[in-house]
Amino acid sequence: MDDSQTYPISDNPVFVTGSSGHVGANLIRRLLRDGQRVRVFVRQQSKNESLQHLDVEVAYGDLRNLREVRKAMEGCQGVYHVAAKVSTIKGNRTHRREIFDCNVMGTRNVLQAAKETEAGRTVVTGSFSAVGYNLENPSLPSNEMMPFYPMERTMPYERSKSFTEHECWRAAATGQEVIVATSCAVVGGADFVPSRLGKTLCDYANGKLRAYIEGGFEFVNVHDLVQGHILCMQKGRSGEKYIFSTEYKKISEIIGLFEEITGVRRPQRQFPAFLMLAFSEVVSGYLSQFHPDFPQRFTPGAIRLLKKCRHADTSKARQELGYQPTSIRRAIIDAYTFHHARGVITNPSAKPPRSGGYD
């Protein structure tokens, strides 16, 4: 995809939430590279390493406080609402309430503030987990018209992103310009936190990934997703959502790319998904209730998603926006290069990234 594509640049700053996260960090870098002024909205207590040495305006506050959001947004033109609390666990009551307040009420506040400050078009980052699927064959490609199915066991995060979309459609129905940019599993560089997949790559390169399960999902190069957000701002139809994915990959294929790019041999153990699901139900149930902040790799929710082997239909984004996805292999190279440069790849058996790339 041509990363140099031009689009209207406003003299006013655009407003970006979630700049500390993976997608937000890449989005603000793209906007700055294109000559756009950027105002980021962050919490004082957040890890804001992604903002170091960047020429951005910083406004502090909490998405759950409408007054703070409104004050921070004054004078902006265009809003990218990327922030969300991402989780694959059920968690305890406090954890679930935080997901709802951040994702649903936070989106309501951003949209209300955009309306009151006349900030204009708002692009909200959605989730593929809030897109429906064929109930008889979940692996068939899902498109934007398929409704979220709430009648089976779902993660609080999945439900919250479905409710987030309802806030978007409610605002659009009153005349606001709102578009949802639906994300799949994100891969790429500038992953400071790091993301769930970024942490998995680091663990793999450091020899800490002892086993894996088979399954599949849609993955998106973070540069493709950023381009998708910009295309939504530029060309998207208000009240619509667009799915952005780069490639469907089996987990064994992702592991194969990890092995090629890092030089570290893949784990020899591949556990059956049904066994890992039974095991994770017990372990995750305990940790989610009593230690919700403890990192969990194989959660019941994540395993159920992988077992569905869901595919995405990106034809709407291609036809209406001109979306052209690139490569997941390239995204993993970018991710490995980034993490290696930060010094978090400590395994002497892991090879350094090749200058000039692997292609």
Side-chain angles (χ1 to χ4, degrees):
M1 182 180 295
D2 182 5
D3 217 28
S4 64
Q5 177 177 340
T6 59
Y7 59 98
I9 302 296
S10 171
D11 292 333
N12 298 76
V14 296
F15 189 79
V16 180
T17 71
S19 58
S20 299
H22 192 190
V23 179
N26 280 273
L27 175 60
I28 59 177
R29 282 161 173 75
R30 168 66 190 275
L31 293 169
L32 290 171
R33 192 164 67 247
D34 288 347
Q36 175 66 62
R37 289 175 58 195
V38 177
R39 183 181 301 167
V40 299
F41 184 69
V42 297
R43 292 186 298 173
Q44 287 277 8
Q45 63 271 34
S46 294
K47 295 179 180 179
N48 295 317
E49 181 185 356
S50 64
L51 302 179
Q52 291 180 7
H53 313 301
L54 294 183
D55 184 18
V56 297
E57 302 174 22
V58 181
Y60 293 101
D62 193 307
L63 286 171
R64 295 167 290 189
N65 187 313
L66 174 59
R67 181 184 60 81
E68 292 178 353
V69 180
R70 185 193 303 115
K71 180 180 178 182
M73 202 181 291
E74 287 285 355
C76 290
Q77 191 63 39
V79 177
Y80 291 99
H81 178 39
V82 184
K85 182 173 179 60
V86 181
S87 173
T88 64
I89 67 172
K90 179 181 179 181
N92 56 25
R93 182 176 181 180
T94 300
H95 181 80
R96 294 191 294 272
R97 178 62 186 268
E98 185 178 8
I99 290 174
F100 178 82
D101 287 347
C102 290
N103 296 357
V104 183
M105 300 309 296
T107 299
R108 174 176 288 191
N109 288 341
V110 167
L111 292 170
Q112 182 65 27
K115 181 178 182 179
E116 294 179 5
T117 61
E118 299 182 348
R121 174 166 285 214
T122 300
V123 175
V124 176
T125 306
S127 171
F128 190 54
S129 63
V131 177
Y133 53 87
N134 185 295
L135 299 178
E136 280 66 47
N137 186 355
S139 67
L140 292 177
S142 295
N143 62 42
E144 293 84 351
M145 292 299 294
M146 302 176 78
F148 176 74
Y149 184 67
M151 305 304 179
E152 67 173 11
R153 183 179 173 188
T154 55
M155 293 181 286
Y157 171 74
E158 293 175 284
R159 296 194 294 274
S160 77
K161 294 303 284 186
S162 176
F163 297 148
T164 293
E165 290 189 6
H166 282 287
E167 293 300 320
C168 296
W169 312 147
R170 185 178 64 86
T174 66
Q176 277 189 260
E177 289 275 315
V178 186
I179 304 98
V180 172
T182 300
S183 169
C184 296
V186 187
V187 193
D191 187 8
F192 292 89
V193 174
S195 65
R196 184 180 179 86
L197 200 53
K199 180 67 164 58
T200 300
L201 173 59
C202 291
D203 287 346
Y204 179 95
N206 287 325
K208 296 180 180 179
L209 191 66
R210 310 294 185 185
Y212 66 98
I213 63 172
E214 189 57 290
F217 201 67
E218 291 280 348
F219 295 86
V220 62
N221 185 323
V222 71
H223 292 306
D224 292 347
L225 184 57
V226 165
Q227 180 73 351
H229 279 67
I230 291 172
L231 288 170
C232 284
M233 181 67 76
Q234 182 183 18
K235 302 179 181 179
R237 290 185 290 130
S238 181
E240 297 288 338
K241 65 179 176 182
Y242 299 87
I243 297 172
F244 297 103
S245 175
T246 302
E247 297 178 74
Y248 172 87
K249 290 289 186 184
K250 293 181 179 180
I251 297 304
S252 56
E253 293 174 322
I254 293 292
I255 294 295
L257 289 171
F258 283 3
E259 182 176 29
E260 172 199 346
I261 292 164
T262 68
V264 177
R265 292 188 62 184
R266 70 171 64 202
Q268 296 302 304
R269 288 178 290 181
Q270 179 183 324
F271 292 140
F274 75 92
L275 286 181
M276 280 302 299
L277 181 58
F279 176 76
S280 70
E281 291 283 9
V282 177
V283 176
S284 184
Y286 170 80
L287 292 175
S288 296
Q289 184 64 33
F290 299 104
H291 306 282
D293 295 324
F294 186 87
Q296 302 180 44
R297 178 174 287 121
F298 295 118
T299 66
I303 294 172
R304 287 195 301 272
L305 278 180
L306 293 176
K307 285 180 62 181
K308 285 186 173 74
C309 297
R310 294 191 57 192
H311 289 65
D313 178 357
T314 60
S315 58
K316 181 179 178 181
R318 293 171 186 260
Q319 294 167 7
E320 293 190 16
L321 306 180
Y323 174 63
Q324 298 176 12
T326 57
S327 161
I328 285 301
R329 182 173 180 272
R330 180 72 255 175
I332 295 175
I333 292 172
D334 291 343
Y336 183 62
T337 302
F338 172 78
H339 292 301
H340 196 281
R342 297 182 75 214
V344 297
I345 307 299
T346 57
N347 183 0
S349 298
K351 63 185 180 184
R354 298 179 190 173
S355 59
Y358 288 69
D359 293 326

